[in-house]
C-alpha cells in the first residue's frame, strides 16, 4: 500500500470529531474507521481448585466413591475416608479395604463387607457426601454400585437416603447374586428436602460382599447429561456466553511432580476405569469430570474448548507449594518424549478425527461421533522457562504444527507480568513464532489502573496474547471496576490480545484455598461476586470491530476508561464506560460513525460503594441494573461513582 493511498483511507476513516467530557481537560478525538478485533476475546478458565469439580460442578453426591482417597492426597486421609462403618440393630461383622481383585486395575481399592449377623437392620456403610448431601423432594437420584458376592449366598442390600437423625427419605432393596463384579442401580426419590442427607447401604443378610464405585447422581443435571454437571453452577457459566473455556488448569495441569501431571487419557472412558489422583490443591481428583465432559459442556454452551496439556515438565514448585517452592521442575525423560508427543497428538485426533480413526472411534464410542472441532490447544502452564522446558516445548509444538497446522498452539510465559520467565518465555515464543502465548497476573486494583496502556505498545507482528489468568486481589466492587477498566483496554487491543479469562472461577464455602474467585457456592446455592457481573457484562456484549474516539475523554485520565465495539453479526454498537471515581462523571458520546441508530438503547449499570461485596447472606448487594435510555448522534451519559455502564445500541442494516 502506498503512503498517499494509506493517508486517503485514514482520512476517510476519521469521520467525526467528538467533544470531550466536563471535569477534565478535554481533547478532541477522531473516531476511527474501526479495527477488527478478536472474535474470541472473553471466555472462561475452569480449574479444579477450591473444590470446583468434585464436590462442585461435577454433580456426583458421594465423596470418595471409589475408595481411592489416600494419605498422598492429604496426610489424614485413607481409602475409607468419608465412609462410616455402621452396625445398627444389634448386627455385627466387619469391613476392610482390599486390592486383590478390583473392578479395574486403574481403580485398585474396594471394600469387603463381612456380615456375620445382620441383626434387625443389617451391617453397612454411610457416606455424607461433601459436607452433607442436598436432596430435593420428588427428584430422582440414581444410586449405582459395583458389587461381587464372595460367598454362594446372594447378599440383600437396602440402600437409602437418611437425615442425620436416621429418618429415611427414600429406600430401595435389591440383592447382589453375581460372583463377578456387576453394576447394580436403583432410583431413590426423597419424600422431603434435606441439605444434610447421607447415603446408607446396609447388607441385611448374612454373607460377604465386595463393593466399589458407589455413586449417587441426580437425574437432573445440566442439559440432562449422564455423568453431568450441577445445573445451577453450569447455568451460571452458560449465561456468560463465553467464547471459550480453558481447562483443566492451571497448576493442576503440570502437577506436583511428573507422576501428578494431568494426563488426558486417564480422564476418559467409563468412570470406574479412570485414574484418580491427588489434586495439587490439597485434595483428590476423581476425574469424573474428565475430558469428555469438558468438551461436551463446551459444545453444550457454544464455547470453544481450550484444553491445556503439560509441556512435559512438572510444576517448578513440585514437592512444596506455590508459596514456599519445592523440589523444582522435573522433565519427562527424553526417551519417553515420543510417547508423550503421541499422547498430545492423540488428543487432537480424539477431538477432531473421523470415527474411522483410532481415537475418533473412542470418542464416538463414548457417545459423540461428530468431531468436537478443537481449534486451540495450550501447551504448558506458568512453567519455569528452563532449557529442559524449551527443548520439550519445541518438540511438542513442532509435532502439532506439522500434523495439525490448523490447530492454534498457545504457549506459556511464566506466572507474572514481567520478570525472568516472562522475558525468556517471550523471547522463545518469538523465536519459534508461537501464534499465541498465555500471560498471567494477579495484582491490586491500582496496578490494573496504571497498566491500562500495557498492550497499546505490543508489537502486532509477534505472537498474540491470551491473558489466561488475571484478577485484582479481592472481590469488592472496586476490584471488579478496576478489572472492567482493564477489560476496555483488552478490547482496544483486541487485535493483539486474542483471548482473556478471569481466574479462578469457583470457590466452595469452607473449602476455599484461593481468593479472589468469581463465584462462591455451597451445596445448595451460589452467589455472584461483582467480578462475575463485570465478566458477564463484557462477555455477553462482545464485538468484533473496535472504534476509537466514540466516547470523549482526556487521554491522560486513567480514572475513566471506555471502549466501543460493534458486533457485525447483529450490527449492535456497544459502549463500555467505566468510572473509578467516587463521584459521577459525564461522558460525551458521538455515534456519527454509525448509520441507522435506534433511538432507544439498553443500559446496564453495575455500581455502588467501592468496598461493597456480595456474600451468601447478601447475594444481591451489588447487582447490575438494566434499563433503557434514549440515544442520538451526540449524547451524554452520566457514569455513576465506581461504575461500569454498558450501552447497547441497535443499528438498522
Ligand atoms: O488460578 C489459580 C492458580 O494461579 C493457577 O492454577 C495457576 O496457573 C496460577 O498460579
Amino acid at each position: 500500500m502506498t503512503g498517499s493511498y494509506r493517508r486517503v483511507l485514514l482520512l476517510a476513516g476519521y469521520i467525526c470529531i467528538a467533544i470531550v467530557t466536563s471535569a477534565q481537560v478535554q481533547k478532541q478525538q477522531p473516531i476511527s474507521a474501526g479495527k477488527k478485533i478478536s472474535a474470541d476475546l472473553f471466555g472462561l478458565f475452569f480449574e479444579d481448585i477450591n473444590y470446583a469439580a468434585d464436590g462442585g460442578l461435577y454433580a456426583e453426591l458421594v465423596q470418595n466413591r471409589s475408595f481411592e482417597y489416600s494419605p498422598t492426597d492429604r496426610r489424614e486421609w485413607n481409602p475409607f475416608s468419608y465412609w462410616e462403618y455402621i452396625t445398627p440393630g444389634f448386627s455385627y461383622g466387619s469391613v476392610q479395604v482390599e486390592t486383590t481383585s478390583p473392578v479395574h486395575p486403574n481403580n485398585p481399592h474396594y471394600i469387603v463387607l463381612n456380615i456375620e449377623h445382620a441383626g434387625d437392620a443389617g451391617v453397612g456403610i454411610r457416606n455424607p457426601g461433601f459436607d452433607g448431601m442436598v436432596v430435593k423432594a420428588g427428584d430422582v437420584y440414581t444410586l449405582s454400585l459395583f458389587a461381587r458376592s464372595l460367598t454362594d449366598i446372594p447378599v440383600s442390600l437396602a440402600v437409602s437416603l437418611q437425615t442425620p437423625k436416621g429418618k429415611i427419605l427414600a429406600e430401595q432393596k435389591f440383592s447382589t447374586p453375581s460372583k463377578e463384579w456387576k453394576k447394580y442401580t436403583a432410583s431413590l426419590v426423597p419424600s422431603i428436602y434435606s441439605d444434610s442427607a447421607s447415603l446408607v447401604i446396609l447388607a441385611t443378610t448374612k454373607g460377604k460382599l465386595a463393593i466399589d464405585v458407589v455413586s449417587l447422581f441426580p437425574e437432573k443435571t445440566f442439559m440432562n447429561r449422564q455423568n453431568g454437571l450441577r445445573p445451577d453452577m453450569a447455568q451460571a457459566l452458560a449465561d456468560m456466553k463465553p467464547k471459550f473455556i480453558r481447562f483443566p488448569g492451571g497448576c493442576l495441569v503440570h502437577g506436583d511432580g511428573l507422576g501428578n501431571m494431568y494426563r488426558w487419557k486417564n480422564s476418559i472412558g467409563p468412570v470406574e476405569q479412570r485414574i484418580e489422583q491427588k489434586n495439587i490443591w490439597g485434595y483428590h481428583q476423581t476425574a469424573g469430570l474428565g475430558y469428555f465432559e469438558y468438551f461436551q459442556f463446551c459444545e453444550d454452551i457454544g464455547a470453544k474448548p481450550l484444553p491445556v496439556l503439560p509441556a512435559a515438565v512438572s510444576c517448578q514448585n513440585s514437592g512444596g507449594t506455590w508459596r514456599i517452592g519445592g523440589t523444582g521442575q522435573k522433565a519427562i525423560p527424553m526417551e519417553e518424549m515420543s510417547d508423550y508427543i503421541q499422547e498430545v497428538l492423540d488428543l487432537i485426533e480424539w477431538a477432531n478425527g473421523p470415527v474411522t480413526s483410532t481415537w475418533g472411534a473412542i470418542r464416538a464410542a463414548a457417545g459423540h461421533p461428530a468431531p468436537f472441532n478443537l481449534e486451540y490447544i495450550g501447551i504448558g502452564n506458568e512453567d519455569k522457562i528452563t532449557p529442559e522446558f524449551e527443548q520439550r516445548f519445541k518438540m511438542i509444538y513442532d509435532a502439532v504444527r506439522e500434523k495439525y497446522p490448523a490447530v492454534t498452539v498457545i504457549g506459556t510465559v511464566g506466572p507474572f507480568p514481567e520478570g525472568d520467565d516472562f522475558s525468556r518465555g517471550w523471547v522463545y515464543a518469538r523465536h519459534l513464532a508461537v501464534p499465541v502465548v498465555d500471560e498471567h497476573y494477579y495484582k491490586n486494583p491500582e496496578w490494573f489502573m496504571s497498566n491500562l496502556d500495557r498492550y497499546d505498545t505490543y508489537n502486532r507482528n509477534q505472537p498474540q496474547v491470551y491473558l489466561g489468568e488475571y484478577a485484582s486481589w479481592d472481590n469488592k466492587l472496586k476490584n471488579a471496576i478496576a478489572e472492567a477498566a482493564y477489560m476496555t483496554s483488552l478490547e482496544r487491543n483486541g487485535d493483539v490480545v486474542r483471548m482473556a479469562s478471569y481466574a479462578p472461577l469457583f470457590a466452595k464455602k469452607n473449602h476455599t484455598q484461593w481468593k479472589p474467585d468469581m463465584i462462591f457456592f455451597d451445596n445448595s446455592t451460589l452467589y455472584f461476586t461483582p467480578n462475575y457481573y463485570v465478566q458477564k457484562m463484557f462477555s455477553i456484549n462482545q464485538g468484533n470491530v473496535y472504534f476509537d474516539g466514540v466516547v470523549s475523554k482526556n487521554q491522560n485520565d486513567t480514572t475513566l476508561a471506555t471502549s466501543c465495539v460493534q458486533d457485525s453479526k447483529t450490527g449492535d454498537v456497544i459502549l463500555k464506560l467505566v468510572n473509578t471515581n467516587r463521584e459521577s462523571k459525564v461522558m460525551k458520546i458521538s455515534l456519527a460513525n454509525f448509520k441507522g441508530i435506534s433511538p432507544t438503547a439498553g443500559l446496564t449499570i453495575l455500581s455502588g460503594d467501592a468496598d461493597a461485596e456480595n456474600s451468601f447472606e447478601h447475594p444481591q448487594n451489588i447487582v447490575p441494573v438494566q434499563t433503557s435510555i434514549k440515544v442520538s448522534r451526540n449524547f451524554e451519559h452520566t457514569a455513576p461513582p465506581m461504575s461500569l455502564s454498558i450501552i447497547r445500541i441497535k443499528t438498522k442494516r
Side-chain angles (χ1 to χ4, degrees):
M1 194 189 290
T2 65
S4 54
Y5 181 51
R6 191 183 291 127
R7 269 195 300 280
V8 171
L9 273 185
L10 253 149
L11 276 175
Y14 286 8
I15 297 168
C16 165
I17 307 289
I19 314 295
V20 200
T21 75
S22 49
Q24 315 291 335
V25 180
Q26 313 287 334
K27 199 170 149 208
Q28 291 181 336
Q29 280 283 305
I31 297 176
S32 68
K35 77 173 166 187
K36 244 183 124 223
I37 60 168
S38 169
D40 291 336
L41 190 53
F42 297 122
L44 291 173
F45 163 47
F46 179 90
E47 176 171 27
D48 187 4
I49 184 172
N50 308 317
Y51 277 69
D54 292 302
L57 184 61
Y58 183 51
E60 172 64 76
L61 292 173
V62 175
Q63 179 159 205
N64 190 14
R65 67 179 173 196
S66 297
F67 305 100
E68 297 300 331
Y69 276 24
S70 87
T72 314
D73 303 322
R74 202 176 274 184
R75 195 170 301 206
E76 65 274 21
W77 283 359
N78 62 61
F80 204 59
S81 290
Y82 296 94
W83 290 96
E84 185 192 348
Y85 171 58
I86 52 173
T87 52
F90 307 104
S91 59
Y92 56 85
S94 63
V95 66
Q96 68 189 61
V97 175
E98 294 197 3
T99 55
T100 42
S101 202
V103 169
H104 191 275
N106 288 348
N107 179 3
H109 299 88
Y110 57 94
I111 58 154
V112 171
L113 257 188
N114 186 9
I115 310 100
E116 291 181 44
H117 175 66
D120 294 344
V123 169
I125 50 174
R126 175 201 301 275
N127 187 289
F130 296 86
D131 306 334
M133 298 175 183
V134 171
V135 292
K136 295 179 186 156
D139 277 7
V140 178
Y141 295 85
T142 305
L143 171 282
S144 65
L145 56 81
F146 283 77
R148 179 163 61 90
S149 180
L150 301 176
T151 61
D152 290 333
I153 322 148
V155 174
S156 296
L157 292 184
V159 294
S160 60
L161 284 167
Q162 298 190 7
T163 65
K165 288 195 171 154
K167 181 179 164 57
I168 293 182
L169 305 173
E171 187 176 41
Q172 289 283 358
K173 295 183 175 163
F174 55 92
S175 91
T176 53
S178 175
K179 294 187 83 176
E180 302 301 325
W181 284 111
K182 181 177 169 202
K183 188 172 179 179
Y184 297 89
T185 59
S187 293
L188 295 170
V189 183
S191 49
I192 55 167
Y193 172 89
S194 172
D195 64 1
S196 49
S198 295
L199 175 69
V200 173
I201 299 169
L202 284 165
T204 53
T205 53
K206 195 172 155 72
K208 204 172 179 188
L209 187 68
I211 297 177
D212 201 1
V213 200
V214 183
S215 166
L216 185 71
F217 234 90
E219 200 179 62
K220 286 185 187 155
T221 58
F222 182 68
M223 295 185 69
N224 299 321
R225 294 283 175 208
Q226 290 266 318
N227 196 42
L229 307 181
R230 194 175 124 175
D232 57 341
M233 292 177 72
Q235 192 60 52
L237 305 186
D239 289 345
M240 297 177 81
K241 300 194 170 68
K243 298 287 187 185
F244 64 87
I245 304 180
R246 169 181 177 235
F247 59 86
C251 292
L252 190 90
V253 166
H254 57 180
D256 189 6
L258 287 181
N260 187 240
M261 286 175 172
Y262 195 105
R263 308 294 285 261
W264 75 271
K265 288 183 184 175
N266 294 346
S267 80
I268 59 165
V271 293
E272 68 277 10
Q273 296 179 16
R274 297 184 186 181
I275 299 182
E276 306 195 5
Q277 66 173 353
K278 168 195 165 124
N279 180 315
I280 196 170
W281 296 107
Y283 53 102
H284 183 92
Q285 319 175 53
T286 63
L289 171 51
Y291 261 55
F292 184 86
E293 291 74 23
Y294 282 122
F295 273 77
Q296 184 64 69
F297 180 53
C298 288
E299 184 176 86
D300 284 345
I301 69 169
K304 293 181 182 175
L306 165 44
V308 183
L309 275 67
V313 292
S314 69
C315 178
Q316 52 270 29
N317 301 320
S318 294
T321 69
W322 65 273
R323 283 192 188 86
I324 62 169
T327 55
Q329 184 185 74
K330 300 276 180 262
I332 290 184
M334 270 303 157
E335 59 275 19
E336 292 170 28
M337 275 306 288
S338 62
D339 284 352
Y340 184 70
I341 290 167
Q342 192 56 49
E343 183 176 321
V344 176
L345 298 176
D346 288 346
L347 171 66
I348 304 175
E349 184 175 289
W350 177 83
N352 290 355
V355 293
T356 48
S357 63
T358 309
W359 284 96
I362 292 172
R363 180 197 67 237
H368 202 287
F372 277 120
N373 302 319
L374 178 68
E375 285 180 31
Y376 295 108
I377 188 167
I379 302 295
N381 173 72
E382 295 190 354
D383 299 298
K384 191 153 189 55
I385 311 296
T386 58
E388 290 75 19
F389 163 86
E390 289 181 348
Q391 198 181 8
R392 286 159 182 78
F393 179 88
K394 181 173 185 323
M395 291 167 80
I396 302 167
Y397 173 61
D398 287 348
V400 172
R401 251 188 344 163
E402 194 188 326
K403 185 146 190 210
Y404 298 106
V407 171
T408 302
V409 174
I410 301 181
T412 178
V413 291
F416 305 115
E418 73 283 298
D420 249 24
D421 294 320
F422 182 82
S423 318
R424 282 168 202 232
W426 262 106
V427 168
Y428 199 57
R430 280 188 206 106
H431 169 68
L432 296 184
V434 178
V436 185
V437 297
D438 182 12
E439 294 191 355
H440 293 179
Y441 35 87
Y442 298 89
K443 292 284 183 183
N444 61 28
E446 293 74 31
W447 185 92
F448 283 96
M449 295 312 296
S450 50
N451 281 278
L452 295 178
D453 58 353
R454 178 180 174 91
Y455 296 111
D456 292 349
T457 50
Y458 266 48
N459 184 339
R460 269 53 185 168
N461 300 315
Q462 64 173 23
Q464 291 188 309
V465 175
Y466 166 36
L467 176 50
E469 296 181 27
Y470 69 100
S472 96
W473 285 336
D474 210 339
N475 289 122
K476 296 187 167 41
L477 180 64
K478 65 184 178 201
N479 301 94
I481 295 301
E483 286 152 12
Y486 202 70
M487 291 170 84
T488 65
S489 82
L490 301 181
E491 285 195 329
R492 181 173 69 246
N493 288 290
D495 53 336
V496 69
V497 179
R498 181 140 163 192
M499 308 161 96
S501 48
Y502 179 97
L505 185 47
F506 283 119
K508 187 166 190 174
K509 190 177 184 177
N510 301 329
H511 299 282
T512 297
Q513 68 265 79
W514 184 294
K515 206 173 171 235
D517 300 286
M518 208 202 287
I519 300 170
F520 287 81
F521 68 97
D522 60 19
N523 284 337
S524 55
T525 185
L526 46 80
Y527 79 83
F528 301 122
T529 59
N531 316 68
Y532 169 86
Y533 288 121
V534 163
Q535 291 295 323
K536 181 175 171 189
M537 286 166 72
F538 272 80
S539 193
I540 62 177
N541 285 297
Q542 305 196 44
N544 58 332
V545 187
Y546 181 85
F547 293 86
D548 261 328
V550 173
V551 186
S552 307
K553 84 178 250 310
N554 179 352
Q555 287 290 82
N556 301 322
D557 181 355
T558 56
T559 65
L560 305 176
T562 67
S563 67
C564 172
V565 295
Q566 186 167 31
D567 176 358
S568 54
K569 276 202 196 115
T570 59
D572 291 2
V573 175
I574 305 152
L575 303 168
K576 283 134 187 153
L577 311 167
V578 181
N579 177 12
T580 65
N581 293 282
R582 305 213 173 201
E583 68 269 5
S584 44
K585 294 279 174 181
V586 177
M587 299 191 186
K588 294 202 172 189
I589 294 138
S590 169
L591 299 175
N593 226 19
F594 306 102
K595 293 204 174 71
I597 298 157
S598 163
T600 307
L603 170 66
T604 312
I605 298 185
L606 186 74
S607 69
D609 189 76
D611 289 314
E613 54 191 323
N614 292 334
S615 62
F616 284 104
E617 295 73 32
H618 302 288
Q620 303 279 310
N621 219 11
I622 298 288
V623 289
V625 175
Q626 253 176 307
T627 49
S628 59
I629 51 164
K630 292 284 171 216
V631 297
S632 55
R633 202 175 152 89
N634 292 293
F635 70 102
E636 288 185 353
H637 173 67
T638 304
M642 201 52 72
S643 66
L644 163 64
S645 308
I646 296 194
I647 301 174
R648 190 168 183 122
I649 303 151
K650 295 224 160 300
T651 62
K652 280 205 201 82
R653 290 142 58 73

